[in-house]
Coordinates of all heavy atoms in Angstrom, one line a residue:
G1 N 17.3 1.9 -4.0 CA 16.3 2.9 -3.8 C 15.0 2.5 -4.6 O 13.9 2.6 -4.1
Y2 N 15.2 2.0 -5.9 CA 14.1 1.5 -6.6 C 13.4 0.3 -5.9 O 12.2 0.2 -5.9 CB 14.6 1.0 -8.0 CG 15.0 2.1 -8.9 CD1 16.1 2.1 -9.7 CD2 14.1 3.1 -9.2 CE1 16.5 3.1 -10.5 CE2 14.5 4.2 -10.0 CZ 15.7 4.1 -10.8 OH 15.9 5.2 -11.5
V3 N 14.3 -0.7 -5.3 CA 13.7 -1.8 -4.7 C 12.9 -1.4 -3.5 O 11.8 -1.8 -3.2 CB 14.8 -2.8 -4.3 CG1 14.3 -3.9 -3.5 CG2 15.4 -3.4 -5.5
V4 N 13.5 -0.5 -2.6 CA 12.7 -0.1 -1.5 C 11.4 0.7 -1.8 O 10.4 0.4 -1.3 CB 13.6 0.8 -0.6 CG1 12.9 1.5 0.5 CG2 14.8 0.1 0.0
A5 N 11.5 1.6 -2.9 CA 10.3 2.3 -3.2 C 9.3 1.3 -3.8 O 8.0 1.5 -3.5 CB 10.7 3.4 -4.2
G6 N 9.6 0.4 -4.6 CA 8.8 -0.7 -5.0 C 8.1 -1.5 -3.9 O 6.9 -1.7 -3.9
A7 N 8.9 -1.8 -2.9 CA 8.4 -2.6 -1.8 C 7.4 -1.7 -1.0 O 6.3 -2.3 -0.5 CB 9.5 -3.0 -0.9
I8 N 7.7 -0.4 -0.8 CA 6.8 0.4 -0.1 C 5.4 0.5 -0.9 O 4.3 0.5 -0.3 CB 7.4 1.9 0.0 CG1 8.6 1.9 1.0 CG2 6.3 2.8 0.5 CD1 9.4 3.1 1.1
T9 N 5.6 0.6 -2.2 CA 4.3 0.7 -3.1 C 3.5 -0.6 -2.9 O 2.3 -0.5 -2.8 CB 4.7 0.9 -4.5 OG1 5.4 2.2 -4.6 CG2 3.5 1.1 -5.4
V10 N 4.1 -1.7 -3.0 CA 3.4 -3.0 -2.9 C 2.7 -3.1 -1.5 O 1.6 -3.5 -1.4 CB 4.4 -4.2 -3.0 CG1 3.6 -5.5 -2.7 CG2 4.8 -4.2 -4.5
K11 N 3.5 -2.7 -0.5 CA 2.9 -2.7 0.9 C 1.6 -1.8 1.0 O 0.7 -2.2 1.6 CB 3.9 -2.2 1.9 CG 3.5 -2.2 3.3 CD 3.2 -3.5 4.0 CE 3.0 -3.5 5.5 NZ 2.1 -2.6 6.0
L12 N 1.8 -0.5 0.5 CA 0.7 0.4 0.5 C -0.5 -0.1 -0.3 O -1.7 0.1 0.0 CB 1.1 1.7 0.1 CG 2.1 2.4 1.1 CD1 2.7 3.7 0.4 CD2 1.4 2.8 2.4
L13 N -0.2 -0.7 -1.5 CA -1.4 -1.3 -2.3 C -2.1 -2.4 -1.5 O -3.3 -2.4 -1.5 CB -0.7 -1.9 -3.6 CG -0.3 -0.9 -4.7 CD1 0.5 -1.6 -5.7 CD2 -1.6 -0.2 -5.3
W14 N -1.4 -3.2 -0.8 CA -2.0 -4.3 0.0 C -2.8 -3.7 1.2 O -3.9 -4.1 1.3 CB -1.0 -5.3 0.4 CG -1.5 -6.4 1.2 CD1 -1.5 -6.6 2.6 CD2 -2.4 -7.5 0.7 NE1 -2.2 -7.8 3.0 CE2 -2.8 -8.2 1.8 CE3 -2.9 -7.8 -0.5 CZ2 -3.6 -9.4 1.7 CZ3 -3.6 -9.0 -0.7 CH2 -4.0 -9.8 0.4
D15 N -2.1 -2.8 1.8 CA -2.9 -2.1 3.0 C -4.1 -1.4 2.5 O -5.1 -1.4 3.2 CB -1.9 -1.1 3.6 CG -0.8 -1.8 4.5 OD1 -1.0 -3.0 4.7 OD2 0.0 -1.1 5.0
S16 N -4.0 -0.8 1.4 CA -5.2 -0.1 0.9 C -6.3 -1.0 0.5 O -7.4 -0.8 0.7 CB -4.8 0.8 -0.4 OG -3.9 1.7 0.0
F17 N -5.8 -2.2 -0.1 CA -6.8 -3.2 -0.5 C -7.5 -3.7 0.7 O -8.7 -4.1 0.7 CB -6.1 -4.3 -1.3 CG -7.0 -5.5 -1.6 CD1 -8.1 -5.4 -2.4 CD2 -6.7 -6.7 -1.1 CE1 -8.9 -6.5 -2.7 CE2 -7.5 -7.9 -1.3 CZ -8.5 -7.7 -2.1
R18 N -6.8 -3.9 1.8 CA -7.4 -4.4 3.1 C -8.1 -3.4 3.9 O -8.3 -3.6 5.1 CB -6.3 -5.1 3.9 CG -5.5 -6.2 3.2 CD -6.5 -7.2 2.5 NE -7.2 -8.0 3.6 CZ -8.2 -8.8 3.3 NH1 -8.6 -9.1 2.0 NH2 -8.9 -9.4 4.3
W19 N -8.2 -2.2 3.4 CA -9.0 -1.1 4.0 C -8.2 -0.5 5.2 O -8.7 0.1 6.1 CB -10.3 -1.5 4.5 CG -11.3 -1.9 3.5 CD1 -11.4 -3.1 2.8 CD2 -12.2 -1.0 2.8 NE1 -12.4 -3.0 1.8 CE2 -12.9 -1.7 1.8 CE3 -12.5 0.4 3.0 CZ2 -13.9 -1.2 1.0 CZ3 -13.5 0.9 2.2 CH2 -14.2 0.2 1.2
R20 N -6.9 -0.7 5.2 CA -6.0 -0.2 6.4 C -5.6 1.3 6.1 O -5.3 2.1 7.0 CB -4.8 -1.0 6.6 CG -5.1 -2.4 7.0 CD -3.8 -3.2 7.3 NE -4.1 -4.6 7.4 CZ -3.5 -5.6 6.7 NH1 -2.6 -5.2 5.8 NH2 -3.8 -6.8 7.0
R21 N -5.6 1.7 4.8 CA -5.2 3.0 4.3 C -6.1 3.5 3.2 O -6.6 2.6 2.5 CB -3.8 3.1 3.9 CG -2.7 2.7 5.0 CD -1.3 2.9 4.5 NE -0.4 2.4 5.5 CZ 0.0 3.0 6.6 NH1 -0.4 4.2 6.8 NH2 0.8 2.5 7.4
R22 N -6.1 4.8 3.0 CA -6.8 5.3 1.8 C -6.0 5.1 0.6 O -4.7 5.4 0.6 CB -7.1 6.8 2.0 CG -8.3 7.1 2.7 CD -8.8 8.5 2.5 NE -9.1 9.1 3.7 CZ -9.2 10.4 3.9 NH1 -8.9 11.2 2.8 NH2 -9.6 10.9 5.0
P23 N -6.5 4.6 -0.5 CA -5.6 4.5 -1.7 C -5.0 5.8 -2.2 O -3.8 5.7 -2.7 CB -6.6 4.0 -2.7 CG -7.6 3.2 -1.9 CD -7.8 4.0 -0.7
M24 N -5.7 6.9 -2.1 CA -5.0 8.2 -2.6 C -3.8 8.5 -1.7 O -2.9 9.0 -2.3 CB -6.1 9.3 -2.5 CG -7.0 9.3 -3.7 SD -6.0 9.9 -5.3 CE -5.7 11.6 -5.0
I25 N -3.9 8.3 -0.4 CA -2.7 8.6 0.4 C -1.7 7.6 0.1 O -0.4 7.9 0.0 CB -3.2 8.5 1.9 CG1 -4.1 9.6 2.3 CG2 -1.9 8.5 2.8 CD1 -4.5 9.6 3.7

C-alpha cells in the first residue's frame, strides 16, 4: 500500500509538473 501510494504520488507530481493536472488535485 505504501509503495502504490508513493507511486501514485510520484505520477501525479510528474503529471502536474507537465501541466496535465492541477497540483492541488
Side-chain angles (χ1 to χ4, degrees):
Y2 287 132
V3 172
V4 171
I8 290 172
T9 300
V10 171
K11 177 69 164 57
L12 290 172
L13 283 167
W14 180 253
D15 286 348
S16 299
F17 173 65
R18 303 307 298 173
W19 294 85
R20 299 183 190 125
R21 299 184 188 277
R22 276 198 225 165
M24 273 293 287
I25 292 179

